[in-house]
Amino acid sequence: MLDKMMGKACDSMCKDHCSGSCKASALLVLRIALGVILVMHGYDKLFGSIGMEAFTGMVAKIGFPMAPLFAYLAAFTEFFGGLCILLGLFTRIAGTLITINMFVAWSAVKGFALPKGDIDLALLAIGLSFAL
């Protein structure tokens, strides 16, 4: 999925400016940035300071039915999906699940608002700007 998004832009840039390795390098940087962000968030929910009890309570407060199930699905998707993206394993499946997870989080939790001080956005911007 990420290959297709970056493919056309990188193909034309690579033909003009480098030996063709820039596309692979750009995708690697994007995978690392996204993977690290997701693993950090998933780890914090599963094992870290937030913990599953607090995260499940937050999911229930939002109004999700079967809050424990959805909380674990979200945390596992972030952690294991992030690991898959980071390692380049099952990237299409992981990317699809992560996209669904992040869209639900963005709509239900953040109300489609952009975060003002999240380090994730900064890290992603750094990764994207370095890759491009």
Side-chain angles (χ1 to χ4, degrees), residues 2-131:
L2 193 56
D3 268 343
K4 289 180 183 178
M5 287 179 8
M6 292 295 297
K8 291 180 183 177
C10 283
D11 285 344
S12 64
M13 190 170 68
C14 286
K15 287 177 187 173
D16 296 336
H17 301 294
C18 65
S19 65
S21 64
C22 68
K23 179 180 176 183
S25 299
L27 291 173
L28 176 65
V29 170
L30 291 174
R31 270 200 349 257
I32 290 171
L34 182 62
V36 167
I37 290 167
L38 290 168
V39 168
M40 285 173 28
H41 277 265
Y43 181 87
D44 203 28
K45 288 176 180 96
L46 290 170
F47 313 111
S49 61
I50 294 176
M52 281 310 296
E53 187 175 327
F55 183 59
T56 302
M58 185 184 82
V59 171
K61 186 178 177 184
I62 293 170
F64 276 90
M66 300 182 296
L69 173 67
F70 282 106
Y72 276 97
L73 283 174
F76 283 145
T77 299
E78 287 181 16
F79 185 73
F80 293 109
L83 282 176
C84 286
I85 294 291
L86 191 60
L87 299 174
L89 302 171
F90 309 109
T91 53
R92 290 181 187 213
I93 295 168
T96 301
L97 294 174
I98 290 165
T99 300
I100 293 166
N101 186 34
M102 291 297 111
F103 184 78
V104 170
W106 187 37
S107 65
V109 178
K110 308 225 185 234
F112 291 110
L114 292 176
K116 293 182 180 169
D118 283 354
I119 190 67
D120 332 339
L121 189 59
L123 182 58
L124 184 58
I126 290 167
L128 287 171
S129 64
F130 181 78

